[in-house]
Amino acid sequence: MAEHALLSASGADRWINCPPSARLEEAMDDETSEYAREGSFAHSLAETYLAYHLGQIKKSEYNKRLKKLKQDPFYSQELDDYVRVYTDFAIEKINEARARTADAVVLLEMKLDYSEWVPGGFGTGDLVLVSDDVLEVIDMKFGRGIAVSAIDNSQMQLYSLGALNQFGCLYNINTVRMTIVQPRLDSISTAEMTVDDLLYWATNTVMGAAEKAYKGEGEFLPGDHCRFCRVRATCRARAEENTKLACYDFREPPLLTDEEIVEVLDAADEYMRWISDVQGYALDQAINNGKQWPGYKLVEGRSIRKYVDETKVAEALQAAGYSEDQIFERVLLGITKMEKAVGKKQFNEVLSGLVEKPPGKVKLAPESDKRPAVRNAAEIDFKEEI
Ligand code: SF4
């Protein structure tokens, strides 16, 4: 099992903003989701491709590893294609670093130690490139969730500190470049910082928070960083923040003002996430730990009928005189399944011009949302007509 630092780089957004979260989370079981396991698998595949490309492993070792990886239940042509998007990008960056400095240092899956600023702090960098003037840290994220920006990204900045600490002395480095590649979201985000700015951030933002976090001290501060906190369902500070809306003092007039509606909209997403986290936690405890919640019981939800054995159903119907045409329908695979079956490259080549993306359903989003605004109903109608 992978080793984790108490003050991990991936959780830095949390312990920097809410220092006491680190010790609270420590007491909870690690949540290793199916997605996280798939991500680890994708990283192993990427490492194998890059290690072979770099001549770090021989052909026989490469073939042996690849054969094993291809037998893994997580392996699919689609996953392989996405991993190749990352490795192609990584090779391009390796070539650029070598063009800058012939003997640039290339490190794969490197343990990066940033404990000079954070007690016991370390993480693993997918790809680190050390060349004259520039230190580059590249991270692959394999999820299908949200596109993550490399700008002001604490995780990437901590990795960079670790890399700088360990390898910065090899060359005269002034710039740190950080890139997050998310092949499944078609997203590549890059940020650059001077070494001076990075060290200023480490000294003035990170060190104080890390010290408090390590000791389990400091103020609780709920925010977006609660989303992956292990105590997100039971944290009192988060509950108090969210119940503020329920306690909102809605005064006269009898109908809400525009400002009040906007206040509800501002709080709504986080409020619904919090409710869903609490419900999920309560259900999990009841099912898996036999927890009895006063006034609640476990019941069976609505279910739908299903065939016990599809082959036997078909045989029974054919024996009763029904033809194949009557009992079977041919259905084209859906887009996701088709992409998985034929691979992304083939899918794009063979089905070019045959896949469209209709406009999505209009919804309200905050001004900060990256998508362009759809101005009004007339514009929506016009778009739908053309
Ligand atoms: S849920 Fe949010 S406020 Fe509570 S400990 Fe975790 S990060 Fe801090």
Side-chain angles (χ1 to χ4, degrees):
M1 203 163 121
E3 206 188 346
H4 289 292
L6 170 76
L7 304 182
S8 68
S10 57
D13 219 21
R14 266 194 313 284
W15 58 257
I16 290 175
N17 285 293
C18 177
S21 62
R23 289 289 174 194
L24 272 187
E25 284 196 85
E26 192 187 19
M28 307 291 286
D29 287 342
D30 204 0
E31 302 166 354
T32 311
S33 66
E34 190 73 354
Y35 299 117
R37 281 192 285 275
E38 189 193 41
S40 301
F41 174 79
H43 277 84
S44 304
L45 188 60
E47 189 189 2
T48 302
Y49 285 142
L50 290 175
Y52 180 59
H53 173 84
L54 292 166
Q56 293 178 353
I57 53 172
K58 294 210 173 89
K59 180 102 182 158
S60 56
E61 173 64 15
Y62 171 72
N63 286 337
K64 197 171 121 197
R65 280 199 208 175
L66 203 57
K67 190 175 171 206
K68 194 163 171 241
L69 287 162
K70 287 191 171 181
Q71 283 163 355
D72 192 285
F74 281 123
Y75 183 85
S76 70
Q77 189 55 52
E78 184 210 25
L79 182 141
D80 195 309
D81 289 346
Y82 281 127
V83 167
R84 291 290 197 173
V85 171
Y86 163 70
T87 55
D88 287 351
F89 177 82
I91 291 167
E92 205 182 297
K93 292 286 143 188
I94 293 167
N95 292 341
E96 280 175 22
R98 285 177 169 167
R100 276 194 300 274
T101 310
D103 56 352
V105 177
V106 180
L107 303 154
L108 296 178
E109 295 291 320
M110 190 70 205
K111 182 171 172 179
L112 300 171
D113 184 325
Y114 48 87
S115 59
E116 188 169 325
W117 299 272
V118 175
F122 68 89
T124 307
D126 296 338
L127 175 62
V128 177
L129 304 168
V130 195
S131 61
D132 205 18
D133 193 44
V134 183
L135 182 142
E136 201 153 2
V137 178
I138 299 169
D139 191 49
M140 173 174 77
K141 294 195 185 297
F142 209 68
R144 298 178 192 272
I146 319 160
V148 181
S149 169
I151 298 166
D152 291 329
N153 187 297
S154 311
Q155 179 181 15
M156 297 305 287
Q157 291 178 191
L158 286 176
Y159 284 163
S160 302
L161 277 175
L164 198 63
N165 200 29
Q166 289 163 265
F167 310 103
C169 57
L170 300 178
Y171 292 102
N172 180 25
I173 297 186
N174 296 302
T175 305
V176 171
R177 190 176 298 142
M178 298 157 283
T179 301
I180 296 174
V181 184
Q182 289 176 280
R184 278 176 159 166
L185 297 175
D186 207 13
S187 167
I188 295 179
S189 170
T190 299
E192 265 190 23
M193 277 178 105
T194 63
V195 167
D196 288 348
D197 285 347
L198 182 67
L199 293 174
Y200 182 87
W201 172 77
T203 313
N204 293 286
T205 302
V206 176
M207 283 178 90
E211 201 186 324
K212 284 185 200 156
Y214 193 74
K215 292 181 184 158
E217 294 172 354
E219 299 286 317
F220 285 98
L221 178 72
D224 283 348
H225 49 268
C226 296
R227 189 178 286 203
F228 298 109
C229 181
R230 276 184 235 157
V231 299
R232 62 189 177 276
T234 48
C235 170
R236 184 170 302 281
R238 189 179 182 218
E240 281 173 1
E241 182 66 20
N242 280 294
T243 46
K244 269 187 199 161
L245 183 68
C247 304
Y248 190 82
D249 182 15
F250 292 113
R251 298 164 298 267
E252 293 295 315
L255 299 182
L256 295 183
T257 64
D258 286 0
E259 289 74 23
E260 285 167 333
I261 299 260
V262 169
E263 274 188 56
V264 175
L265 290 175
D266 284 348
D269 282 352
E270 168 55 13
Y271 185 71
M272 288 189 283
R273 263 198 297 273
W274 172 65
I275 295 282
S276 150
D277 287 339
V278 176
Q279 286 177 327
Y281 170 80
L283 180 65
D284 177 69
Q285 290 297 308
I287 293 175
N288 297 316
N289 291 334
K291 173 85 184 170
Q292 299 279 337
W293 299 104
Y296 283 84
K297 61 184 178 186
L298 285 171
V299 292
E300 277 188 7
R302 194 173 154 265
S303 76
I304 48 173
R305 296 179 300 166
K306 64 179 187 107
Y307 295 126
V308 175
D309 181 327
E310 292 195 3
T311 311
K312 285 189 180 154
V313 168
E315 282 169 4
L317 286 163
Q318 282 172 311
Y322 294 95
S323 70
E324 286 203 356
D325 285 350
Q326 284 176 293
I327 63 169
F328 285 107
E329 59 178 3
R330 280 179 64 205
V331 182
L332 196 61
L333 291 182
I335 289 182
T336 309
K337 276 192 183 166
M338 190 69 82
E339 209 172 36
K340 201 164 189 168
V342 304
K344 194 175 166 62
K345 198 161 160 249
Q346 275 290 98
F347 181 92
N348 289 338
E349 273 173 28
V350 178
L351 299 181
S352 153
L354 292 174
V355 177
E356 63 168 358
K357 197 167 186 297
K361 193 165 176 240
V362 175
K363 57 180 269 191
L364 270 176
E367 284 284 0
S368 55
D369 195 286
K370 286 199 192 112
R371 290 164 289 188
V374 179
R375 276 186 291 280
N376 52 39
E379 184 177 332
I380 297 162
D381 289 347
F382 175 71
K383 274 193 163 183
E384 279 170 359
E385 277 162 24
I386 54 174

